[in-house]
Amino acid sequence: MEEEPPPQPDDPASDHTAAQHKRARSNSDSSVSAASLHSTRTLHDEDLEFVHENGRIYGNDSYYMPCDQPEQDRLTLQHQIYLLALKGKLTTTKVSPKTSRILDLGTGPGDWAVGMAKECPWAEVVGIDMAVWDLDITETTAGDTEVRWEIDNLDVWGIEDEFDDIVLRMERVDLARDLAERDPVDSPARPRAKTSGSNTQPQTPAESAYDLYVLNPDEQPGWHFSDSYDLIHMRGMKGVFGYWEGVYEEVYKTLSPGGWVEVVDYHIDLPQMEQETRNPASFPFPTLAKLHLALLQASVKSGRPLGTYYMHPSYLSDAGFKDVSTTYVNVPIGQWPEDEEQRKIGKLFMVCVMEMLEAHLLRPLTVWGDAERVWSVDEVRSLIVKAKEEILEWNTVMEERREPGRRSVFAGWEWKANFKWIIGRKPLYDL
Ligand SMILES: C[S@@+](CC[C@H](N)C(=O)[O-])C[C@H]1O[C@@H](n2cnc3c(N)ncnc32)[C@H](O)[C@@H]1O
């Protein structure tokens, strides 16, 4: 029987269509199987608080990305890019008939979960998200599958509200570096003890980098899942949590002995950022660079820093995982590659990047702002238009310069994203 769609507040100003939410995910009141999933549920249908903001729809007040139809379309396109990057594979873990229970956390429109259900018809696949997406579209695209959809808010830790302190410490951090490939020495592996007043004391750069991510809440509640899983998957979860140590502890607890976790995400750097300082006039992305830095600053201010730092192997090994390993794939952005297949991926990903600009930037810059101030909606939107022009212009130049066998023509100007899959195994016996 079809369930009623969740209530959607009216917003005449909205210029985006909300996902139709034809089939709501189940909650503990409406699904017998859901009751076995959790002993403690944090979110119910009636709690869903869709926020209409500047023409976009968000799942709550704290997560930075929208959950409307344009975002669903973008995530589905992005799913194809993940697949192309991994040569059609959905996972870097070894799935066997023993993999009988699979959990996708922050599943979004559920493309990965549906794909896994198709590939592993013997397995029970569960997808959890705090927002409701149009699952009918996903399942129609992917065929007849059995996935159990659940709604839940996984961020049970919240964030520490130390706004001024975070802004102060931000000045000493190289955001582009520290939020991407975090050095293990700077790893915020352990939450610091909360001490009043001490956070504004002078610190060494290493200490400030260490402290930046440690947004340790007073209480450390967990997920309290009552069932265990053989594979837990999380994809595109940067900016969802401010307390990753707690997330990995919960994932570890929720896995069966011998089970695998897989965390997937990507990081985009602008090509040759240092070109900007060497010759500002020739740098093709001045607006994009400005927006990129502002977004990183806003995310830190929000308490949920962006970047793939949360995929550093130290997080997994500190939580107890073994056989931790990472698969890296560089994915081109734009039509510069000589190789036809790569050029096709680059074109698709460029479309995805242009679509993601507003989804990524609008809320962070208009709510939290960069290191100095909160931006206006018009300012963000007009800079996005400019940034898109820069991308298109750069792509045209790169296409014109593309000549077989003359890669040096582009040296340093290729634009790529670094896609990562990190996996770890829960040992059969806890020593
Ligand atoms: C960038 S999307 C990735 C979706 C999907 N994993 C994919 O790769 O297509 C992040 C997802 O995390 C979900 N999310 C954000 N905060 C969450 C929370 N506190 N609890 C559960 N899901 C959350 C969002 O609703 C969104 O679907």
Side-chain angles (χ1 to χ4, degrees), residues 174-403:
D174 179 341
L175 286 173
R177 188 206 65 200
D178 294 341
L179 294 186
E181 298 294 335
R182 183 165 59 88
D183 188 299
V185 174
D186 291 336
S187 165
R190 290 282 159 248
R192 72 190 141 91
K194 200 173 178 184
T195 49
S196 58
S198 65
N199 296 326
T200 51
Q201 297 301 312
Q203 296 166 332
T204 65
E207 280 168 343
S208 70
Y210 182 94
D211 265 349
L212 178 65
Y213 314 106
V214 182
L215 305 161
N216 182 32
D218 287 336
E219 289 175 26
Q220 297 180 13
W223 292 337
H224 310 298
F225 291 115
S226 52
D227 287 339
S228 61
Y229 289 83
D230 305 304
L231 170 59
I232 296 182
H233 177 261
M234 286 189 276
R235 191 174 71 181
M237 297 294 270
K238 55 174 157 308
V240 170
F241 303 105
Y243 182 53
W244 282 98
E245 291 83 351
V247 174
Y248 286 112
E249 271 172 34
E250 291 306 314
V251 169
Y252 188 90
K253 276 192 228 158
T254 310
L255 277 171
S256 321
W260 289 88
V261 62
E262 180 170 52
V263 188
V264 188
D265 212 333
Y266 61 79
H267 171 79
I268 301 182
D269 257 336
L270 294 177
Q272 294 279 332
M273 291 293 279
E274 71 270 22
Q275 286 271 358
E276 196 179 12
T277 40
R278 245 191 280 150
N279 182 3
S282 70
F283 183 67
F285 303 123
T287 313
L288 202 54
K290 183 177 170 174
L291 290 169
H292 185 243
L293 180 65
L295 173 64
L296 295 180
Q297 292 174 339
S299 77
V300 174
K301 282 168 82 176
S302 79
R304 296 179 174 87
L306 288 176
T308 49
Y309 72 93
Y310 76 96
M311 293 173 72
H312 195 280
S314 62
Y315 276 112
L316 273 72
S317 38
D318 284 356
F321 289 101
K322 303 290 177 214
D323 301 330
V324 174
S325 72
T326 310
T327 303
Y328 299 91
V329 178
N330 280 334
V331 175
I333 307 169
Q335 287 159 285
W336 56 266
E338 278 178 42
D339 178 80
E340 205 172 315
E341 189 58 28
Q342 288 292 305
R343 198 157 62 247
K344 191 176 114 194
I345 300 177
K347 185 179 176 186
L348 275 183
F349 199 38
M350 189 177 78
V351 172
C352 187
V353 166
M354 302 228 284
E355 282 308 302
M356 89 174 61
L357 288 177
E358 184 176 293
H360 267 86
L361 289 158
L362 196 55
R363 180 176 256 193
L365 292 181
T366 58
V367 172
W368 297 289
D370 67 8
E372 280 155 25
R373 65 191 174 84
V374 170
W375 296 26
S376 75
V377 176
D378 287 348
E379 192 180 3
V380 179
R381 286 219 163 101
S382 67
L383 286 183
I384 287 174
V385 170
K386 238 175 141 185
K388 284 184 180 173
E389 285 167 7
E390 285 171 4
I391 295 173
L392 289 173
E393 209 171 298
W394 164 84
N395 190 51
T396 308
V397 170
M398 294 300 275
E399 271 211 291
E400 282 167 1
R401 286 191 198 170
R402 179 157 40 77
E403 288 172 43

Side-chain angles (χ1 to χ4, degrees), residues 63 75 106-108 129-131 133 152-155 235-237 240:
Y63 179 57
L75 286 172
T107 190
D129 204 281
M130 65 156 186
W133 299 82
D152 211 350
N153 180 3
L154 297 165
D155 187 13
R235 191 174 71 181
M237 297 294 270
V240 170

Side-chain angles (χ1 to χ4, degrees), residues 25 43 59-60 62-67 71 74-76 78-79 82 104-112 128-133 152-156 233-241 264:
R25 292 162 200 264
L43 195 62
N60 64 16
S62 54
Y63 179 57
Y64 78 110
M65 296 201 78
C67 60
E71 180 59 0
R74 191 191 70 79
L75 286 172
T76 297
Q78 190 170 266
H79 172 71
Y82 277 114
D104 187 26
L105 298 174
T107 190
D111 297 283
W112 185 86
I128 298 183
D129 204 281
M130 65 156 186
V132 177
W133 299 82
D152 211 350
N153 180 3
L154 297 165
D155 187 13
V156 291
H233 177 261
M234 286 189 276
R235 191 174 71 181
M237 297 294 270
K238 55 174 157 308
V240 170
F241 303 105
V264 188

Side-chain angles (χ1 to χ4, degrees), residues 13-125:
S14 169
D15 53 7
H16 287 103
T17 320
Q20 292 303 303
H21 308 307
K22 288 180 190 147
R23 188 158 65 76
R25 292 162 200 264
S26 52
N27 63 30
S28 56
D29 300 327
S30 63
S31 157
V32 177
S33 56
S36 68
L37 184 70
H38 280 189
S39 57
T40 310
R41 177 162 294 279
T42 60
L43 195 62
H44 298 261
D45 268 359
E46 62 271 22
D47 301 327
L48 289 174
E49 28 144 352
F50 291 96
V51 182
H52 287 238
E53 199 176 282
N54 301 316
R56 303 298 304 247
I57 302 172
Y58 296 85
N60 64 16
D61 279 324
S62 54
Y63 179 57
Y64 78 110
M65 296 201 78
C67 60
D68 47 21
Q69 192 62 57
E71 180 59 0
Q72 170 148 358
D73 295 344
R74 191 191 70 79
L75 286 172
T76 297
L77 171 63
Q78 190 170 266
H79 172 71
Q80 295 307 321
I81 293 160
Y82 277 114
L83 280 180
L84 288 167
L86 216 51
K87 300 199 184 316
K89 282 182 6 184
L90 283 160
T91 175
T92 61
T93 61
K94 278 205 187 85
V95 177
S96 76
K98 284 189 185 157
T99 314
S100 56
R101 293 173 52 77
I102 299 172
L103 177 59
D104 187 26
L105 298 174
T107 190
D111 297 283
W112 185 86
V114 167
M116 286 304 278
K118 260 180 103 179
E119 266 190 30
C120 314
W122 63 85
E124 183 179 358
V125 182

